[in-house]
Structure formats: C-alpha cells, structure tokens
Amino acid sequence: MTVSKTKKHTTKKIVKKTATKKVSKKINKKPTKKITATKTVKPQRTKVICISHKEDCDGISSAALIRQAFGGDAILVDYPGQMEALNQVVLDEKLKSLFICDLGLSKKTQDEFIDIMTTLRKNKVSVTYIDHHDIDPNVLKELNKIKVKIIHDINECTAVLVYSAFKSKLNDHASFVAACAAITDYMETRPIGAKLLQIYDRQFALISATVLTYNIVGHQKEPDYLLYLVEELADSKFPHAIPNTFEFAQIQVEKLSQMIAKVKQGMKTMKNLGYMEILDAGASGAVNFVMGLSGKNVGVAYKERVDHGIYAVSVRGSKDCKVHLGKIVNILATNLGGSGGGHDKACGAVIPKPKIKKFITELNKQIK
C-alpha cells in the first residue's frame, strides 16, 4: 500500500514538471521570432531617376520625355558633374530604374562609368543609357555584358532617340519637344528629326526652340528653374506658354548682340582656328561667333570655372571642317588631364587651367 502511493505521487510530480517546461518553451519562442523578422526587412526599390545634360535643349528635353513616360525625378548635370551624380545615386537603396541621357563619355571617365554601372546592375537596378555622342566600341561591349540597355545613334539627337524608343508611353506633344531638341542640336535634317519637324510649322518650331535654348543657357546657375522647365515640358507646355520665357529670351538676345563686338575685339587666330576666352557669358553662346568672325573652319571659346580650377571649353566646326572634332578633343583633353568629346562639328571639353594654351595649340595642329 505504501509503495503504491509513492508511485502515484511521483507520477504527478513528473507530469507537472513536464507541463511547466512546455509552457516555458512557448513563452521563449515569441520574442525570438520578432527579432528575426525585423532583421530581414529590406527597403523596396521603387524610385525612378533620370540623369541628363543641363546645358542645352537636348538634355532638358530628354529629361522631360523620360519624366512623361516613366515619372520619377530628374538630376541635371554638366559633364564635370556627371560622375559625382552617379556616385550619389549608386548609394540609393530605393533606386529601381536609372535613365542616363545626353551625357557622352570620355576616355578619362569611361572606366569609372563602367564600374558604377556594374555595381548598379549587381543591385538589380534597371539602367538605360541613351546618347548620340561617339562612344568607344569596347565600352559598348562592356555595358552590353552587364545588360545595361543602350539606345545609341550618332545620327539623331538624344531627345529624338528617347521619343522613338518610348513613343507608346508618350503623348502627341512629345514629338514637338523632340523636334525642338533636334533643331538646337543642328540635327533637324536627320531622318527621324526631319519627319518630326514636318509635323509642325517650321517657323513656329524654330522660334520655340530658340526661346527654350536662351532660357536654358541663361539659367545655368539656377538648377531649380531648369527642373521647372523639365516639369513644364513634361506637362505638354509650349515654350511660349511658360511664364516670362519670351521676355527672358529678349534679354539674352541683347547680351548676344553685345557679344559680337566683344568677339571682334578680343578673339585671336591660329592657322586653322579662332579662339577667345569668355569672361562675362557662357562659352557655348559665344563660340559660333568666334568661328564665324575669325573666318576659320573651327572656333574655340573657353571660360574659367574658378571653383574647379578648370576651363570649360566649347568647340565648333563649320561645314567645311573635315575632321571629327569630338574624337580629337576626347583624346587631347584626356592627355592633358581633362576630359571631353562630342560630335564631329560640335563638342566640348574640361581642361585644367595651366593646360589651356597647350590644348589650343595641339588642337590647331590636328586640324587639317
């Protein structure tokens, strides 16, 4: 009898202990699950960004068309600021799609560009590079390897390429924006550009493109205004419908008329080119005057960027210029510690301040 009671008592104790252990295990599991769930949360990639050229109508128009087609934000840069902008967006964990428009590569920047693109693709960011400047074929091969989508054609301006690629996502007004870009890039006679221009009255398109260009060039130090232009064009506004554009264009015209006298007085010539340092205006606005008034087939205008210790250089060639200025300037600028490149008859460069005279001298030698 005594033995039997002891067994029952022992059994009850064992059952109680087991039950207690089971309860305590359930209580301990809950906080562990919560901590694990918090650690595995990743930010969703939803952001769309377009990095485009800020200095001319082609770059601004390209950004406007990308915005209309895909939404998102625009980052507007000049050539020296291109890599800085790319190094910033590569750190953005929310970036989903990146469009790069009208920003040609030079020998100095192309390797860094490929490295950044490789990082973006590893992070599953969709990248579309749209441009019409001359590109090293090896660079194109490397970009294709990492599956960067490339839309490239030297025969049309970038905005026309954007329009052609994403026409189904754009409204009817987009063709006018692209036509204006073709005019200001001197590419309105190219196959697609010419067809777009035929849709509109030529004089209406010419004055619209000119007004837009003068507003872009005259507001280079006001990034918020340039972004405002992108938004207005994306919303299908004609240049004349954007407040004060004609009034501001008139101011720029007056400045340019004064530039003619300054160029006549201040330009210098070499055997194959005319050149001049610009002090109180943009180099791109003066370079055609330098070429035309010098009587040479090539004009060079340059303006100091005090904040960077460099000269921003614009180069233009006449119809009689037989060399590809963009290719020559790319190699020459890189050899002098700068960067540059562009089209056969219109290009630009960034040259370290002490090397500007050597740049002009060497360029003169290579123009035949």
Side-chain angles (χ1 to χ4, degrees), residues 16 28 89 97 127 150 164-165 175 197 215 239 287 328 338 343 358:
K16 281 182 182 180
N28 290 336
V89 299
S97 300
V127 182
I150 301 169
S164 299
S175 61
L197 186 56
N215 276 266
V287 66
I328 293 173
H343 312 299
K358 188 171 180 61

Side-chain angles (χ1 to χ4, degrees), residues 220-252:
Q220 283 299 296
K221 293 183 179 179
E222 300 173 53
D224 288 343
Y225 182 82
L226 297 177
L227 289 171
Y228 166 70
L229 286 181
V230 170
E231 291 173 6
E232 293 291 271
L233 292 173
D235 287 342
S236 302
K237 295 280 185 67
F238 286 106
H240 71 267
I242 302 172
N244 304 316
T245 50
F246 267 73
E247 291 82 354
F248 190 82
Q250 187 175 359
I251 295 170
Q252 291 302 107

